[in-house]
Amino acid sequence: SQQGEEDPQALSIQEGENATMNCSYKTSINNLQWYRQNSGRGLVHLILIRSNEREKHSGRLRVTLDTSKKSSSLLITASRAADTASYFCGTDSSYKLIFGSGTRLLVRP
Amino acid sequence: GAVVSQHPSRVICKSGTSVKIECRSLDFQATTMFWYRQFPKQSLMLMATSNEGSKATYEQGVEKDKFLINHASLTLSTLTVTSAHPEDSSFYICSAREGTAGDSPLHFGNGTRLTVT
């Protein structure tokens, strides 16, 4: 089963711009994780935010979590062409990870 | 960092045959592994949770007799697609959790693209 939705489904930006992706989910969670997937490959873990945290940073990534709205956002600052990929949020509520629908990000050089 | 190796990366098989996909954690022990299925340009759908030394837990709607999962050791889980049909063609991805803490991230294999002709 799929936990929730991400928006936008697709995002095209110019290199150097910021990219913001949103994720909504349905059930209570232990934590929320963001992953990146290059075409035809597995997922790579980017960042994890626990249910009692509201914001977290890692390099050019900033994640927020609003448990009252059951939503999260991922901000990639100063995007690069190499950031082109699909991004998925995964929610952990029973020690298994359920993924949202994903956002396909295209960063134009 | 933790590495998960998935093999084969691509497989083409005839309808009615069975295909085995292996998922190995190379430098850590994984008591729990997860199998996902992904259709083109779609999200990952969790198929089952593989537990070392016990039966797998399947998600609703996943046929356990069709997708056989075996987790015989702390570093190896296998998914066997039995009597494959064209509708089983998909991208299958395994992942493993390092340690037992629920808030540890998953490490993913690079996936197996199965084509059933």
Side-chain angles (χ1 to χ4, degrees):
Chain A
S1 61
Q2 196 168 300
Q3 169 70 289
E5 296 296 320
E6 291 180 57
D7 91 278
Q9 289 188 343
L11 179 61
S12 178
I13 60 174
Q14 201 71 36
E15 200 166 28
E17 294 179 339
N18 296 340
T20 300
M21 290 160 259
N22 303 295
C23 166
S24 61
Y25 57 92
K26 298 173 184 172
T27 64
S28 60
I29 60 172
N30 298 319
N31 62 73
L32 185 145
Q33 304 177 32
W34 284 90
Y35 288 78
R36 164 198 170 123
Q37 183 183 35
N38 286 82
S39 181
R41 304 293 292 248
L43 277 67
V44 175
H45 178 259
L46 295 176
I47 194 166
L48 180 152
I49 186 165
R50 295 182 174 83
S51 59
N52 61 354
E53 297 175 313
R54 293 296 168 257
E55 187 172 313
K56 207 161 182 181
H57 297 255
S58 176
R60 294 185 295 115
L61 306 180
R62 173 178 169 255
V63 168
T64 62
L65 179 65
D66 187 334
T67 52
S68 66
K69 295 181 179 178
K70 291 188 169 58
S71 68
S72 175
S73 68
L74 171 67
L75 168 68
I76 303 175
T77 60
S79 64
R80 305 166 182 168
D83 294 329
T84 294
S86 290
Y87 292 82
F88 294 93
C89 70
T91 51
D92 185 333
S93 58
S94 310
Y95 301 111
K96 58 186 181 183
L97 213 55
I98 305 296
F99 287 95
S101 50
T103 294
R104 294 191 305 279
L105 173 66
L106 171 66
V107 181
R108 305 186 304 274
Chain B
V3 176
V4 172
S5 174
Q6 188 172 340
H7 179 81
S9 58
R10 291 180 179 273
V11 59
I12 301 172
C13 70
K14 291 188 184 300
S15 192
T17 61
S18 295
V19 173
K20 181 184 282 188
I21 303 169
E22 291 189 349
C23 181
R24 294 180 184 273
S25 56
L26 296 187
D27 49 1
F28 66 98
Q29 293 185 332
T31 53
T32 304
M33 291 185 174
F34 302 90
W35 287 94
Y36 291 86
R37 180 175 181 174
Q38 185 178 34
F39 291 102
K41 296 186 179 180
Q42 294 190 27
S43 186
L44 286 78
M45 304 295 290
L46 179 63
M47 298 175 66
T49 302
S50 171
N51 303 297
E52 188 268 334
S54 64
K55 291 183 179 180
T57 304
Y58 290 81
E59 294 298 303
Q60 193 171 8
V62 178
E63 299 176 59
K64 60 181 179 182
D65 293 331
K66 178 157 189 67
F67 299 101
L68 299 178
I69 292 171
N70 183 274
H71 195 154
S73 77
L74 286 170
T75 59
L76 174 63
S77 176
T78 60
L79 167 69
T80 301
V81 182
T82 63
S83 187
H85 290 283
E87 57 264 31
D88 298 325
S89 297
S90 192
F91 191 56
Y92 294 88
I93 312 176
C94 72
S95 65
R97 171 165 277 143
E98 185 175 7
T100 56
D103 61 356
S104 54
L106 295 184
H107 304 285
F108 282 81
N110 276 328
T112 297
R113 185 160 305 283
L114 171 63
T115 303
V116 185
T117 61

